[in-house]
Amino acid sequence: GGKTENRNYALFFEGGYKLDSRWRISAGVRQTFEDKAFLPTSISLPSNTPLIDHKEEHLHFNEFTWRYSLQYYPASNASVYLTVSHGFKSGGFVHRYYEYSPDGLVTFEPEYVTQYELGYKLSSPDRGLYLTALGFYSDYRNIQTASNPLGRPATITDNAARGHISGVEAEIVWSPLTALTIEGAIGLLRTGYDQIGSGNVTVDLDDKFIRSPETSINLGLSYSFPWSNGAELEGRLDWVYRSNIEYEPDNDAHVSEDGYQVYDFNLVYHPPNAVWSLQLGVRNLTDERYMLAGDSNREFGYALAVFARPRNAWLTVSWEF
């Protein structure tokens, strides 16, 4: 499509202030300057006719972003925080053309997000417990998304809409016994478009965001078996669950994953007073068939999917010199 040259400069500051023994505030600001240059070279074959004038053009972005946070410490090992932040992702040029563009270069605008987050953290090493829990709401404007305008097979980037993500997350690490560690995490998401701002995009208000399953769960169990001669055998079992995942902005059913759960298992042997170890593992223990990525173009009429590997075993020998 052409040649690009991007430059990015920024000035930023972050600082905090301790109000008293329990309350703290912090703030961060950033001023970003970006310049993007694009020299199109697209031609139509076999005539070698330029699809767009071969003239370099520039885009300039000057954005102010910020982050403010309030922290409260009810105990020495626990904290509660409230954070509000605002960020952006710069715009750019559309590089793909398949027909003559008399109006010059096609561009897309920056994307903006304002996020509100309330969280809790607990660190209790004496009890072998670490806990994090949070809830958040993200308000997006000018969401950048891949689109296929009607009658045009080239995939381009355009600003689709206004939308939001809301959710809660929790993560725990707990060692009730010296030899046993339990790790778990859960995330619940709700995504959606609030307004559709461009006629070029194929998303609508009922579509979900891509790669944003409503439910995500991870659970891991590890146990160490010490031997009398000083050797150690460590076993670990992991379980991962994901609900429905969309891989195309318009939620094309051909590249939509209904959801999956996967088990992984491995054993690690550490011999006594040795510098080597032996690890044996099995991934996708139940031979689950699930999609990792997908791409489709309804104008061309194709859909492609990438699937995870089937059940597979592996063996690793590690040696420290």
Side-chain angles (χ1 to χ4, degrees):
K3 300 178 181 178
T4 63
E5 183 176 1
N6 301 328
R7 298 181 183 272
N8 180 298
Y9 309 91
L11 299 172
F12 61 90
F13 166 83
E14 185 169 2
Y17 182 72
K18 187 176 180 180
L19 299 173
D20 57 31
S21 61
R22 295 186 181 274
W23 292 91
R24 296 180 185 178
I25 58 173
S26 61
V29 294
R30 178 185 176 103
Q31 188 72 44
T32 302
F33 308 91
E34 289 196 11
D35 179 86
K36 293 190 174 185
F38 180 48
L39 175 63
T41 58
S42 301
I43 58 173
S44 176
L45 297 176
S47 65
N48 287 339
T49 302
L51 291 175
I52 193 168
D53 292 339
H54 291 181
K55 180 181 67 174
E56 186 177 81
E57 294 192 24
H58 290 256
L59 286 175
H60 304 280
F61 303 99
N62 185 350
E63 298 288 347
F64 177 76
T65 53
W66 44 265
R67 178 180 183 271
Y68 304 113
S69 183
L70 175 66
Q71 301 103 32
Y72 172 67
Y73 297 85
S76 60
N77 63 348
S79 64
V80 180
Y81 67 90
L82 173 64
T83 299
V84 183
S85 57
H86 179 74
F88 90 106
K89 181 166 60 176
S90 65
F93 296 98
V94 172
H95 291 200
R96 304 186 70 181
Y97 295 85
Y98 83 103
E99 64 182 5
Y100 178 64
S101 178
D103 298 327
L105 288 171
V106 178
T107 62
F108 55 94
E109 298 177 4
E111 174 181 306
Y112 301 93
V113 61
T114 302
Q115 179 165 297
Y116 309 85
E117 183 175 319
L118 178 64
Y120 173 78
K121 294 181 179 180
L122 173 67
S123 176
S124 183
D126 57 327
R127 292 186 293 172
L129 179 63
Y130 302 88
L131 173 66
T132 300
L134 62 92
F136 66 91
Y137 180 85
S138 301
D139 180 19
Y140 288 87
R141 291 188 295 114
N142 290 344
I143 298 173
Q144 296 171 4
T145 186
S147 63
N148 299 110
L150 187 63
R152 298 184 180 183
T155 300
I156 67 170
T157 300
D158 198 4
N159 298 94
R162 184 166 187 164
H164 67 274
I165 300 178
S166 60
V168 293
E169 298 177 2
E171 184 175 356
I172 186 172
V173 179
W174 183 37
S175 298
L177 304 173
T178 303
L180 175 65
T181 300
I182 303 171
E183 301 173 58
I186 183 170
L188 304 175
L189 286 181
R190 295 295 182 270
T191 68
Y193 294 101
D194 302 316
Q195 298 173 354
I196 305 298
S198 172
N200 287 330
V201 299
T202 52
V203 298
D204 57 46
L205 294 177
D206 295 327
D207 289 330
K208 302 175 183 177
F209 286 9
I210 62 171
R211 301 183 180 274
S212 302
E214 291 189 349
T215 304
S216 301
I217 304 175
N218 300 332
L219 181 62
L221 302 174
S222 59
Y223 194 88
S224 298
F225 302 89
W227 294 1
S228 58
N229 63 353
E232 184 181 54
L233 182 66
E234 181 179 356
R236 181 177 177 90
L237 177 65
D238 287 284
W239 173 64
V240 175
Y241 169 78
R242 297 290 184 269
S243 61
N244 167 255
I245 304 175
E246 302 293 344
Y247 289 112
E248 275 293 309
D250 61 3
N251 292 185
D252 188 342
H254 295 94
V255 290
S256 175
E257 169 57 52
D258 292 335
Y260 61 86
Q261 53 181 333
V262 179
Y263 296 87
D264 297 332
F265 177 74
N266 69 78
L267 286 172
V268 184
Y269 173 70
H270 301 278
N273 303 319
V275 294
W276 63 273
S277 63
L278 182 67
Q279 189 169 11
L280 172 66
V282 181
R283 296 189 181 96
N284 196 359
L285 198 60
T286 58
D287 203 23
E288 182 84 356
R289 186 174 185 268
Y290 60 98
M291 198 181 301
L292 290 176
D295 175 60
S296 69
N297 185 320
R298 297 186 183 185
E299 293 300 318
F300 270 136
Y302 75 79
L304 305 174
V306 178
F307 287 87
R309 296 181 65 185
R311 180 173 50 241
N312 59 99
W314 50 276
L315 179 68
T316 301
V317 179
S318 301
W319 192 282
E320 295 182 7
F321 295 93

